[in-house]
């Protein structure tokens, strides 16, 4: 197979006369069938040119792929992939210390302080 660089770190290969991304072709060959609709291929080491099967994970959807990246960021930042980042103070804590409100994750104390400051700012009591 001839690899053609895309310019963004990915490589394309020709399969059955059609160009496909190499990591997709490798993953499909490893699982023995085409990827299901909506599935994505994740590079464990985040190196888009490393398409060895041991470096690829087939994610069922974008949400799972996002979860993998969130856990990798937590592991790299604090050493524990299970910890969650507070969007207010930007520190990682165990899940039992974090409140999850939709897409926002925060410490209860942080959100209280943030709300007090935001309210004061709206009322002109604190400089923006």
């Amino acid at each position: 197979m001839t690899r053609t660089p895309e310019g963004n770190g990915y490589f394309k290969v020709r399969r059955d006369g059609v160009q496909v991304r190499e990591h997709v072709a490798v993953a499909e060959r490893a699982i023995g069938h085409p990827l299901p609709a909506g599935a994505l291929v994740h590079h464990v080491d985040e190196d888009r040119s490393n398409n060895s099967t041991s470096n690829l994970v087939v994610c069922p959807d974008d949400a799972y792929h996002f979860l993998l990246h969130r856990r990798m960021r937590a592991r790299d930042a604090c050493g524990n992939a299970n910890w969650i980042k507070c969007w207010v103070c930007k520190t990682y804590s165990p899940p039992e210390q974090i409140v999850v409100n939709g897409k926002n994750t925060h410490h209860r104390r942080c959100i209280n302080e943030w709300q007090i400051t935001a309210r004061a700012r709206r009322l002109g009591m604190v400089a923006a």
Side-chain angles (χ1 to χ4, degrees), residues 44-61:
V44 175
D45 67 0
E46 296 186 302
D47 178 0
R48 295 174 175 178
S49 66
N50 180 0
N51 294 318
S52 65
T53 55
S54 62
N55 188 49
L56 302 177
V57 175
V58 176
C59 302
D61 54 31

Side-chain angles (χ1 to χ4, degrees), residues 22-44 52-66 68:
E22 183 181 38
H23 62 288
V24 173
V26 170
E28 290 178 339
R29 188 170 49 244
I31 63 175
H33 56 82
L35 293 177
L40 302 167
V41 180
H42 170 75
H43 289 86
V44 175
S52 65
T53 55
S54 62
N55 188 49
L56 302 177
V57 175
V58 176
C59 302
D61 54 31
D62 197 43
Y64 187 82
H65 190 222
F66 177 78
L68 287 180

Side-chain angles (χ1 to χ4, degrees), residues 1-16:
M1 266 194 263
T2 303
R3 299 172 86 201
T4 306
E6 278 189 19
N8 57 4
Y10 290 111
F11 284 86
K12 285 191 172 184
V13 294
R14 192 166 289 287
R15 182 180 62 188
D16 300 326

Side-chain angles (χ1 to χ4, degrees), residues 44-121:
V44 175
D45 67 0
E46 296 186 302
D47 178 0
R48 295 174 175 178
S49 66
N50 180 0
N51 294 318
S52 65
T53 55
S54 62
N55 188 49
L56 302 177
V57 175
V58 176
C59 302
D61 54 31
D62 197 43
Y64 187 82
H65 190 222
F66 177 78
L67 175 67
L68 287 180
H69 280 278
R70 184 173 64 95
R71 290 176 53 84
M72 288 171 60
R73 283 191 302 272
R75 183 203 60 214
D76 293 346
C78 69
N80 191 323
N82 293 319
W83 283 22
I84 301 171
K85 185 176 182 179
C86 171
W87 70 269
V88 179
C89 71
K90 309 297 188 226
T91 62
Y92 286 84
S93 297
E96 58 272 11
Q97 295 179 12
I98 296 285
V99 175
V100 178
N101 183 5
K103 290 185 177 182
N104 294 330
T105 56
H106 51 78
H107 298 103
R108 198 172 301 283
R109 66 175 155 58
C110 289
I111 198 65
N112 289 342
E113 291 171 16
W114 182 83
Q115 288 172 336
I116 289 168
T117 304
R119 190 174 299 123
R121 206 175 291 123

